[in-house]
Amino acid sequence: MILPINIYSDDILRQRAKPLKGVDSAVEKLIGSMFESMYNASGIGLAAPQVGHSLRLLVLDVSCVKNYEGEKPMVVINPHILAVSGSSEMEEGCLSVPGVQGDVVRPSVLTLKYRNERFEEQVGEFSGMPGRVLQHEIDHLDGTLFVDRVQKRDRRKIQKELSALASGIVNASYPVVVPVSKLY
Ligand code: ZN
């Protein structure tokens, strides 16, 4: 089922999401819907709060990105960053912040402990595009958006677009939810 994406000014995007205690049929169904919604919106990562569920769950699939064709889709539950190193700058965007891009500096490598779609504990090292998307999506679980981290020189540039989104003006090619209170 394609779920609508919550947009920028929505309170759910600012909450700290709750850990999952396990994977039952409801969570399995949500994971399936998250992949479907992400592909429908041509995204490469999606966190549960972006589709209205304040849970520490995210999906990603970077196989449509050049040089990452062999990467498998990933389900990440209750992620915990064990270590980071290096630093790199990359332009980011977000399905919850349509039409806005900006350069963000993040660690280039991270060691991550998480649970997979069978709730089995995994530890992995991630860099390049998967490492970047993971950090962006883990931010969502803590109520942080990439626009909070955008390099200073880009901040003024995006402010107008953010104000438009906050006032309910959203141009997206996929279903979205705009908080009702922001429309009046
Ligand atoms: Zn995002």
Side-chain angles (χ1 to χ4, degrees):
M1 188 168 60
I2 292 171
L3 304 168
I5 311 273
N6 293 74
I7 296 299
Y8 177 60
S9 52
D10 203 307
D11 293 339
I12 197 165
L13 297 174
R14 293 309 191 176
Q15 292 164 10
R16 189 176 158 80
K18 290 195 180 70
L20 269 78
K21 295 194 177 89
V23 175
D24 59 12
S25 58
V27 173
E28 278 175 4
K29 200 174 155 201
L30 175 60
I31 290 169
S33 295
M34 284 174 65
F35 273 113
E36 207 181 326
S37 308
M38 180 182 77
Y39 293 133
N40 179 63
S42 303
I44 56 176
L46 187 69
Q50 292 182 273
V51 288
H53 295 266
S54 194
L55 296 170
R56 303 189 79 75
L57 160 67
L58 63 94
V59 299
L60 69 125
D61 185 350
V62 298
S63 62
C64 64
V65 179
K66 198 170 179 279
N67 299 325
Y68 292 93
E69 290 86 353
E71 293 281 334
K72 291 197 171 64
M74 254 181 97
V75 175
V76 173
I77 295 170
N78 301 345
H80 182 68
I81 296 173
L82 299 175
V84 294
S85 63
S87 168
S88 67
E89 186 175 311
M90 198 185 280
E91 188 178 67
E92 294 189 18
C94 179
L95 296 179
S96 292
V97 196
V100 178
Q101 275 90 37
D103 290 335
V104 179
V105 175
R106 296 187 188 270
S108 42
V109 186
L110 73 155
T111 309
L112 193 67
K113 187 170 87 173
Y114 64 100
R115 289 180 184 266
N116 65 11
E117 63 278 14
R118 291 179 296 278
F119 211 65
E120 298 159 345
E121 193 169 282
Q122 312 280 314
V123 176
E125 193 178 274
F126 300 92
S127 59
M129 192 56 84
R132 173 61 60 153
V133 177
L134 278 166
Q135 291 179 78
H136 175 117
E137 302 308 333
I138 292 168
D139 264 357
H140 275 300
L141 309 183
D142 296 324
T144 299
L145 297 174
F146 86 97
V147 292
D148 306 338
R149 298 189 186 275
V150 156
Q151 290 287 79
K152 273 207 182 79
R153 61 170 187 273
D154 282 350
R155 241 173 246 168
R156 188 195 291 260
K157 199 178 75 186
I158 65 173
Q159 201 45 57
K160 223 173 136 181
E161 290 146 314
L162 292 180
S163 303
L165 286 174
S167 63
I169 303 162
V170 182
N171 285 307
S173 59
Y174 43 84
V176 297
V177 192
V178 178
V180 172
S181 62
K182 314 282 182 186
L183 292 176
Y184 301 99

